[in-house]
Amino acid sequence: MDNNNSQNNSPQKPKFNIYWIYGLIFLGFIALQFIDFDGENESISWHRFEKEMLSTKKVDKLIVINKDLVEVYIQDEFIGDFDDIKTGMTGQNGPHFTFKIGSIENFERKLEEAQKDFNDEYYVAVSYETRKDILGEALGWIFPILILVAVWIFIFRKMGPGGGSSGGNIFSIGKSRAKLFDKEENNIKTNFDDVAGLEEAKVEISEIVEFLKNPTKYTDLGGKIPKGALLVGPPGTGKTLLAKAVAGEAEVPFFSLSGSDFVEMFVGVGASRVRDLFSQAKQKAPCIVFIDEIDAIGRARGRNANFGGNDERENTLNQLLTEMDGFDTNTGVIILAATNRADILDSALLRAGRFDRQVHVELPDLIEREAIFNVHLLPLKVKKNLDLSFLAKQTPGFSGADIANICNEAALIAARKNNKEVGRQDFLDAVDRIIGGLEKKNKIITKQEKRTIAYHEAGHATVSWMLEHAHPLIKVTIVPRGQALGAAWYLPKERQITTEEQIFDELCATMGGRAAEEIFFQKISTGALNDLEKVAKQAYAMTAYYGMSKKIGNRSFFDSSGNSEYQFQKPFSEKTAELIDDEVNLIIENSYTKAKQIIIDNKDKLKELAELLLEKEVIFTEDVERILGKRPFNHPEEEVLFAKTEDTENTNSQE
Ligand code: ADP
């Protein structure tokens, strides 16, 4: 980072730019085209030469140059006869004219023939010369080299770090690309208050803050400061945020970079960047180095060795391991790394003394989501009585980044409607938009297609309504959105384990769409592709992964290590493969049969539901409940979720 400083301090003088040289060379070439090194003699035809010069015996001598050009010298006393002889650089002495010849033999023959009549009283002397065009030849080989050099420089400049002002050239290719956030320079303001939820992770990691702030407390007792912690969790859950907050809390500099920043097409660059990063970090110690997506370099070594492997990546990883071992525990450089796949990391990275601690950062639960909403609503102007817990309930499975996105999207939607404040409906619209994509109101859909879609979605709704374990329904729509032509929206329950019955009920609900098409139209359509894909995957997982099939028994062929030894070879015999196929078929058929049965039992109600859907395009739980009656199994917790509000009414009329 020192070079940064020096750059800031140096006075601004016009910078030398390599493009000036290119410009000069280019101008030089253009200039060359205009300078005539052959002097000012005129190029003429053989015909004119013979008629005007040779037959009138005015030629003094001829010189054949390089076997293809003839220089004509006119006798001094006749020079005046030719208007077009100019006295240029070559002066009066000639050559006065030139012409090209095809071959020497031909030229000699023609010349002899033309002089036949002179009977030796006049004979033009012909001499032969070989002249070297040094300039032309030199250009002939210098020019390609110049082009090569230019291309080479161009490529290196392109590959340099972003072509920024900080020396984007080949010499800095081995330099670390870490961005430094420093208290003085960039003012890191992030602290633990900005990270909502993640209480356990914060406790774990606040110890690191303590280490950084007050190392002697630990070292006095003989303890060693940990070298690193690995933040593991799905994308967008706040790993970077947490690492920044640690730096902010500890008030130490923070180097941030991504694992892929080490990767370059040249061998050795990654390792050199690692060295550079650590030497920079040591100068700034105590500090935090944050490596995002560390799996880009930290993937277990030696896998796929038959494909040549990736030696460069291994070198980089080795260098990282060495550096982590190498620095003294008390230098105060702590490495935080983030990944969403700890299972594929090299075990050497995870051993004690390197990333000693693993902090799991999970998707936020209901309470955490509410807290995250709280953080991200601060900068927004929201309606006073906005119910945060309702919003949190509407966003199961959303990450912190998704929630940040929803808040922003909601503000944009409210602005588009010219509202002064962001209201609840704006948030719901934002959720819809983020899950489903943009509404496509102008998609061309025929009446019959619309009917099919309506019955398909009503099928999903009816089947799921009647099943005990299916997720609660929020709304059904046939407004096309993103890729989907219609959708039944559920609110997935947050559960940590799922029972066989629950999965099966989900399968039935998913099959409900196609079942309705078959029962009402006696035809099936391609509209169920998505459903079928989901069902097939889930049924396969049930048999091959979860041991939920009697015939296969309690066996799982799941491979959590990601070790792709089984890539080309299934871990089971052909016989088992057939069994799995049979079981998968059976599960899918059973769920389809059950879905059809439910639809047959509720045919009239489903029809009513579909017709209502065709009319309104969006229907809510209340409408479904009115038509189908209360859900047959008791689901008391759902009552809270769907307290209808005025806002929801608005959407109804709007769509
Ligand atoms: P990750 O590194 O895990 O992929 P980030 O830390 O970059 O995710 O998170 C992206 C954004 O999501 C953050 O900038 C922040 O706005 C938001 N975010 C994620 N988790 C939280 C959280 N727990 N509290 C507040 N904001 C969060």
Side-chain angles (χ1 to χ4, degrees), residues 194-198 234-242 292 372 375-376 400-401 404:
D194 297 311
V195 188
L198 304 179
T237 42
K239 298 181 292 291
T240 316
L241 194 67
L242 204 56
D292 206 357
I372 297 175
V375 169
H376 289 283

Side-chain angles (χ1 to χ4, degrees), residues 452 456 485 514 517 524-532:
T452 312
H456 182 107
L485 295 170
R514 168 157 280 199
E517 285 181 45
I524 50 175
S525 73
T526 56
L529 173 65
N530 223 327
D531 301 339
L532 294 184

Side-chain angles (χ1 to χ4, degrees), residues 163-342:
S165 56
S166 55
N169 60 36
I170 40 170
F171 300 111
S172 64
I173 198 160
K175 291 269 189 300
S176 134
R177 293 189 183 174
K179 243 195 287 167
L180 175 70
F181 295 91
D182 211 331
K183 202 70 193 160
E184 307 97 54
E185 285 170 24
N186 290 303
N187 225 345
I188 0 173
K189 280 189 231 116
T190 317
N191 55 31
F192 280 153
D193 292 340
D194 297 311
V195 188
L198 304 179
E199 292 308 329
E200 298 87 1
K202 273 196 234 169
V203 170
E204 230 356 57
I205 221 149
S206 56
E207 217 158 76
I208 291 179
V209 176
E210 270 298 302
F211 284 131
L212 286 168
K213 271 187 161 165
N214 197 357
T216 47
K217 180 170 148 195
Y218 297 86
T219 48
D220 283 353
L221 290 174
K224 280 191 192 137
I225 294 179
K227 285 181 183 164
L230 190 65
L231 303 167
V232 186
T237 42
K239 298 181 292 291
T240 316
L241 194 67
L242 204 56
K244 266 194 189 156
V246 172
E249 289 279 333
E251 304 191 341
V252 295
F254 177 75
F255 288 92
S256 166
L257 78 168
S258 156
S260 59
D261 286 344
F262 292 114
V263 183
E264 194 70 72
M265 62 187 278
F266 304 108
V267 177
V269 169
S272 140
R273 285 187 182 157
V274 172
R275 275 192 297 274
D276 188 55
L277 171 69
F278 277 83
S279 73
Q280 281 185 27
K282 273 179 222 165
Q283 283 168 12
K284 289 269 180 184
C287 68
I288 287 179
V289 175
F290 177 65
I291 307 176
D292 206 357
E293 315 291 354
I294 196 169
D295 37 313
I297 49 166
R299 202 174 275 260
R301 286 167 293 182
R303 197 170 292 161
N304 286 343
N306 358 1
F307 297 122
N310 186 344
D311 285 346
E312 168 59 2
R313 195 169 51 79
E314 289 188 9
N315 285 343
T316 312
L317 176 57
N318 286 340
Q319 186 65 41
L320 183 68
L321 295 176
T322 325
E323 287 288 347
M324 287 192 78
D325 270 346
F327 64 77
D328 197 353
T329 32
N330 297 331
T331 47
V333 179
I334 289 188
I335 321 257
L336 295 177
T339 175
N340 39 22
R341 304 215 43 198

